[in-house]
Amino acid sequence: LMKKNITVLIPTFNRSKLLGRTLSSLYDQDTDINIDCIISDNCSNDDTEDLVKSMTKPKSNVKITYIKQSNPLSPLDNWKYLISYIDNEYAKYLFDDDWLEVNALKTMMNDLDRFDASSIIYNTNIYAKNNDYDPIIGYYKYQDTELDTNLLIDSTLRIKNVLPVSPSAAIQKSNLLSEALFFSEINKTCSDSVIGNDFTMNFYPVFKGENCFFRNKNIINLWGGDDSITMLNKNEKVFS
């Protein structure tokens, strides 16, 4: 079988104690998948650089490229910086406090082929401080479904159950991921006050009419610490 390639983008800042778990999960993936992991370190002053060096394994299916920014970037600019490093057909963000289940990427790649999908969003397990970090397994209450604009609107308005907002839960065709990020920046007022960049990035392909799906497989773990997107989202209608 030919190896499959995926780019994993990790923006990070002062989270070496959590980043190690994120990187370890990449080494728990099927070795038939080549992983190009790009880390943009937004001027951390902890031991992030030493951690990444210690976890880099030259002769493996995981290739880590580490860039330490010389000047601080906004969080969105740090996300955007990573886009230029994508050179595979499919890519995903994986935030520095989240991690993958064993062989999650193999599941994703197989599902992309099976459904001829441009984007798939997965169910997640959430480890939140307000739940004493006891995991909530399969947090999102959906069965497998094709995503459309009506479902997204109903989900956002809480007419139906919420869908995963964190980009860690998604995989997309790389061109769509890039388009989504720049679209969210152009529509900054909307992104800031209503739905957030993460929502736009996850669901942009749906509004473009691409084949997009939710899969009820709990293969992503989201960490909900004090400074996590999962916990800081103030919009009650859009809770990631």
Side-chain angles (χ1 to χ4, degrees):
L1 293 175
M2 290 183 63
K3 287 182 178 287
K4 296 182 178 180
N5 304 307
I6 181 172
T7 301
V8 176
L9 307 173
I10 303 178
T12 191
F13 173 69
N14 280 350
R15 277 191 174 153
S16 62
K17 293 181 180 178
L18 296 172
L19 180 62
R21 179 177 58 192
T22 305
L23 296 179
S24 291
S25 76
L26 296 182
Y27 290 108
D28 288 335
Q29 303 307 304
D30 191 293
T31 55
D32 282 336
I33 296 178
N34 287 323
I35 302 168
D36 290 327
C37 173
I38 316 297
I39 301 171
S40 178
D41 181 351
N42 198 5
C43 297
S44 295
N45 54 25
D46 61 3
D47 61 344
T48 292
E49 185 170 2
D50 291 337
L51 171 81
V52 174
K53 287 180 179 178
S54 72
M55 296 192 68
T56 300
K57 302 176 183 179
K59 294 183 179 179
S60 78
N61 62 310
V62 181
K63 176 187 175 185
I64 295 178
T65 300
Y66 173 81
I67 304 107
K68 185 164 187 176
Q69 300 296 334
S70 56
N71 295 297
L73 302 173
S74 71
L76 181 59
D77 283 339
N78 201 30
W79 296 11
K80 188 171 69 173
Y81 177 86
L82 287 161
I83 289 290
S84 64
Y85 284 85
I86 298 175
D87 59 2
N88 293 310
E89 184 179 5
Y90 293 99
K92 70 174 281 73
Y93 280 94
L94 185 61
F95 292 141
D96 56 2
D97 56 349
D98 301 333
W99 69 103
L100 303 170
E101 287 290 303
V102 174
N103 290 335
L105 294 181
K106 181 178 182 180
T107 297
M108 292 180 186
M109 299 303 281
N110 286 342
D111 284 346
L112 288 166
D113 287 342
R114 176 183 174 189
F115 295 101
D116 190 26
S118 298
S119 173
I120 302 179
I121 297 171
Y122 287 86
N123 209 335
T124 68
N125 307 312
I126 293 183
Y127 295 71
K129 183 177 180 180
N130 62 9
N131 196 48
D132 296 325
Y133 296 113
D134 290 332
I136 305 172
I137 305 299
Y139 179 85
Y140 297 95
K141 307 307 178 186
Y142 279 94
Q143 298 302 311
D144 294 346
T145 187
E146 186 169 3
L147 298 175
D148 60 35
T149 54
N150 289 331
L151 177 57
L152 293 189
I153 292 169
D154 288 348
S155 170
T156 303
L157 297 175
R158 289 292 181 92
I159 296 170
K160 293 185 178 178
N161 291 328
V162 295
L163 286 159
V165 174
S166 171
S168 288
I171 185 169
Q172 295 183 26
K173 285 188 175 179
S174 299
N175 64 306
L176 292 171
L177 186 60
S178 178
E179 287 179 24
L181 185 58
F182 285 96
F183 179 84
S184 72
E185 185 180 36
I186 293 169
N187 295 273
K188 192 173 187 303
T189 300
C190 181
S191 294
D192 286 347
S193 62
V194 183
I195 58 178
N197 297 96
D198 44 2
F199 180 97
T200 305
M201 289 165 61
N202 268 15
F203 298 115
Y204 174 84
V206 179
F207 289 100
K208 280 204 70 174
E210 301 283 345
N211 290 337
C212 305
F213 298 86
F214 171 85
R215 296 287 281 158
N216 187 26
K217 297 177 179 179
N218 314 322
I219 59 175
I220 313 291
N221 298 295
L222 304 183
W223 184 252
D226 287 332
D227 61 347
S228 300
I229 289 177
T230 303
M231 303 305 295
L232 292 179
N233 193 331
K234 299 298 191 294
N235 187 340
E236 293 180 357
K237 292 185 180 298
V238 187
F239 174 67
S240 61

